[in-house]
Amino acid sequence: MSNNIVDVVPGVSSQEEADTLMILHAVDAAKAGFTVHIYSQNTDVLPLTLRRVPELGANTAMIMGTGDAHRIIMLQPIFNVLGSEKAKAAIKAHSLTGCDTTGGIYGKSKK
């Protein structure tokens, strides 16, 4: 794996949330011809990324975990099983069940 420097044009988005900005920059890198691997411990990033798999490319992966306990998750197979519509809907479902900005549905937990 190697890191590459990609010029990012400032001011191209009004997004302030780091999760969504990361995905926008990843899409820009993919359009420039780079293979994208996204490293994040935040589960909010997965549904955001799944929606953009067609723009990110077939070899896009998420790397989650730390040290020896990290996992590389290829996103294209997940997208293929879900299909485009369900991949887009995953963001909405995640926001209802408790993403970073919501506490979840009253009386319902993830357990």
Side-chain angles (χ1 to χ4, degrees), residues 16-29:
E16 294 181 7
E17 176 69 28
D19 298 345
T20 54
L21 273 175
M22 179 177 15
I23 304 307
L24 291 174
H25 291 309
V27 168
D28 284 343

Side-chain angles (χ1 to χ4, degrees), residues 5-22:
I5 297 173
V6 178
D7 290 330
V8 176
V9 179
V12 296
S13 172
S14 61
Q15 293 292 322
E16 294 181 7
E17 176 69 28
D19 298 345
T20 54
L21 273 175
M22 179 177 15

Side-chain angles (χ1 to χ4, degrees), residues 81-101:
V81 168
L82 291 176
S84 180
E85 293 303 311
K86 287 181 183 175
K88 290 177 185 176
I91 299 167
K92 297 171 186 172
H94 182 63
S95 67
L96 288 173
T97 60
C99 65
D100 283 351
T101 58

